[in-house]
Amino acid sequence: MDTIQRLCSRCIILEQGELIAQGDTASTVLRYISSNSYQAQPDQWIDVSKMRRQGTGEARFVAVRYSSRNETVSFHPYPNGPLEFLVSIESDSNLSVGSFAVTIFNKAGTKLVNADVGSIGQVIDLKKGHTLVRLRIERLHLNPEIYTLGLWLNKTGRSLGNKPLDYIESACEIEVVSFESEDFGIREVSPVTCKFKILEVT
């Protein structure tokens, strides 16, 4: 989305070959992102099994749950606080996955956070059937705002022409809330790498 906005002054939205929107790039991209997302509450399962996606389907995302683990803010993520994801994946066979990512985009479609296990050299072993993966971002460097959550899964990393196992660009919207306490409230919005780790795969 960021590339489209930098290179194109106008764009269109096609759905199953039918033109559904056209216009200046900024408003068209915003319409595309908004039409594919809904704001989800923290600490609750979000069904993503029927979301618009790309991929081979050999393994696919079924549901996701996110939480800051902080009851004070009703489990919403907040600037410089932790953010934990529990992701449910179904696989047709036993698979070793070298690229599993949780991505966070702003409303313009710019990727701000990309927590990909490939960047830390970790491999996730999916079982035939159902696997749960828990990933934790230690410190979320985002301002209070509404963001879009994306999910990516592949045997290897991202490269041109490499079709993923599953990719949901807009799984849901999540709200980062303000939390005024000690070190919190710092306003950093530039693209960042984030410290994260896989807590468990079951």
Side-chain angles (χ1 to χ4, degrees):
M1 287 300 166
D2 185 49
T3 303
I4 288 172
Q5 290 181 93
R6 283 188 285 109
L7 297 179
C8 307
S9 59
R10 296 180 61 81
C11 63
I12 63 174
I13 300 175
L14 297 174
E15 187 169 332
Q16 296 180 349
E18 182 182 343
L19 177 67
I20 60 172
Q22 63 180 316
D24 67 278
T25 299
S27 61
T28 309
V29 166
L30 183 60
R31 174 172 175 174
Y32 173 79
I33 293 171
S34 299
S35 69
N36 290 304
S37 298
Y38 69 96
Q39 195 168 336
Q41 294 303 308
D43 212 34
Q44 295 181 12
W45 281 108
I46 303 155
D47 182 2
V48 298
S49 60
K50 294 180 174 60
M51 293 285 182
R52 182 181 295 163
R53 67 215 309 142
Q54 303 171 39
T56 65
E58 298 168 71
R60 57 218 159 265
F61 297 108
V62 178
V64 62
R65 188 172 187 157
Y66 73 95
S67 173
S68 66
R69 314 304 296 167
N70 189 334
E71 194 171 359
T72 306
V73 288
S74 302
F75 306 108
H76 281 281
Y78 51 90
N80 295 315
L83 179 55
E84 192 170 297
F85 295 92
L86 187 59
V87 183
S88 175
I89 302 170
E90 283 185 357
S91 178
D92 294 337
S93 60
N94 294 331
L95 283 175
S96 290
V97 174
S99 183
F100 162 81
V102 171
T103 55
I104 299 176
F105 304 87
N106 65 12
K107 279 290 192 178
T110 302
K111 186 186 296 183
L112 301 177
V113 174
N114 185 46
D116 190 335
V117 299
S119 67
I120 57 174
Q122 190 166 352
V123 174
I124 293 175
D125 293 319
L126 301 179
K127 301 175 291 188
K128 181 179 180 180
H130 186 250
T131 302
L132 284 176
V133 180
R134 189 184 302 272
L135 180 146
R136 179 184 174 92
I137 296 173
E138 300 294 349
R139 289 171 67 87
L140 185 69
H141 302 296
L142 293 177
N143 280 343
E145 184 58 78
I146 294 175
Y147 299 90
T148 300
L149 175 68
L151 300 169
W152 168 274
L153 188 68
N154 204 8
K155 295 177 185 176
T156 58
R158 302 183 191 217
S159 62
L160 190 63
N162 181 10
K163 193 169 185 180
L165 296 169
D166 198 17
Y167 175 44
I168 303 176
E169 188 175 35
S170 304
C172 66
E173 292 180 340
I174 62 175
E175 183 179 8
V176 175
V177 300
S178 180
F179 183 46
E180 301 300 330
S181 174
E182 297 183 30
D183 300 327
F184 300 107
I186 298 173
R187 298 294 185 254
E188 292 184 66
V189 292
S190 57
V192 294
T193 55
C194 58
K195 183 179 178 183
F196 68 94
K197 60 184 175 183
I198 294 295
L199 298 180
E200 64 178 322
V201 179
T202 58

